[in-house]
Amino acid sequence: MDTHGGERLAWGQVLVGVAALALLAWGGLAAVFAVPVKPAAEHHREVSRHAARHAATQAVAGAAAPIDCAHVPCLALTFDDGPSAVITPQVLDILERHHVRATFYVVGSRVAGNEPLLQRMHAEGHEIGNHSWGHTNFTTLTPQQIHDEITLTQAAVAAAGVPMPTTFRPPYGAMNPVAASNVPLTVVRWNVDPEDWGTHKPQEIIDRVKAQARPGGVVDLHDIHQQTADSLDVILNDLSPHYNWVTVSELFSLPPGQRGDFSGR
Ligand SMILES: [Zn+2]
């Protein structure tokens, strides 16, 4: 038994020695190829830090997991015609306080000088959509003019350092066959229309949104009016218990490049 034990010990030492040599060789190779060999614990800490950062980002964005709007009540807030240096920051502050994400349909000609607002939208989990360059009725435009309206805005958004839009909101919701075949983005209109531009009373906007809200709804608001910013806190307080707030791409489960014309589920 002792002999066998001694043999096992000897073989064990040989194995340990071989393993050590292999590790040394790997270390040497790693050094040659400048591959950092990190202790497992350090690697684990990095993974944990990454996971914590990711979780924090998701907490800020308000989405712990993908939301299936086919099975749970969702509502998409959209804000058109900005960015506005005065109103858009107020809207972003309220959305941030409620951990709500929305979609901003920016007018391309209004992006210059407001790039930090687009960067904030993106950083806080909002979707940025294309609302044309000059807010012209697309049913009056030639294919070349439509092309210019879209691509100038895409370029302005990209120049702000955020992802290019994948969805387009036609000014006035106006589309015709020529526009439909020349707009290369997913068209998203709306089915909850509080006409916030037509009143100065926040309470009227609140009442209209609450009266029209439905699962799968797309709410059309405008981040260029003070009354809209003033209505938002109450809208979120009153409807948050009943809906998951999502971006339009989440509401319709849109992959980038999806063609079509969506107004609400
Ligand atoms: Zn508009």
Side-chain angles (χ1 to χ4, degrees), residues 80-81 131 135 171-172 222:
D80 296 359
D81 295 1
H131 195 35
H135 208 274
Y172 316 103
H222 299 80

Side-chain angles (χ1 to χ4, degrees), residues 84-254:
S84 152
V86 176
I87 306 298
T88 306
Q90 299 177 47
V91 168
L92 285 168
D93 286 349
I94 297 166
L95 293 172
E96 183 183 25
R97 201 160 67 241
H98 288 264
H99 304 292
V100 164
R101 288 171 303 116
T103 304
F104 287 85
Y105 280 104
V106 299
V107 172
S109 61
R110 295 180 181 163
V111 170
N114 288 312
E115 288 88 349
L117 286 175
L118 271 71
Q119 290 155 11
R120 181 178 172 193
M121 289 170 190
H122 177 62
E124 296 181 356
H126 305 296
E127 179 170 345
I128 297 171
N130 185 321
H131 195 35
S132 83
W133 177 261
H135 208 274
T136 310
N137 183 328
F138 268 41
T139 66
T140 68
L141 300 182
T142 65
Q144 182 61 49
Q145 289 172 317
I146 290 170
H147 172 82
D148 292 346
E149 288 275 336
I150 296 288
T151 54
L152 280 171
T153 301
Q154 295 294 89
V157 173
V162 297
M164 277 205 281
T166 59
T167 69
F168 169 69
R169 165 150 298 160
Y172 316 103
M175 290 289 284
N176 64 6
V178 173
S181 58
N182 285 281
V183 170
L185 305 174
T186 312
V187 175
V188 176
R189 296 192 245 194
W190 60 90
N191 62 359
V192 175
D193 192 359
E195 300 187 356
D196 57 337
W197 41 265
T199 176
H200 290 295
K201 298 176 181 167
Q203 191 61 49
E204 285 189 358
I205 301 170
I206 294 163
D207 293 343
R208 292 171 187 168
V209 170
K210 288 172 66 177
Q212 296 179 39
R214 72 199 81 168
V218 178
V219 186
D220 187 36
L221 293 165
H222 299 80
D223 56 327
I224 55 168
H225 300 302
Q226 187 61 51
Q227 66 269 21
T228 302
D230 291 344
S231 73
L232 190 55
D233 190 56
V234 175
I235 289 172
L236 295 177
N237 271 334
D238 290 358
L239 292 183
S240 289
H242 308 290
Y243 294 100
N244 296 284
W245 301 103
V246 293
T247 65
V248 295
S249 288
E250 288 171 328
L251 181 67
F252 301 117
S253 302
L254 294 175

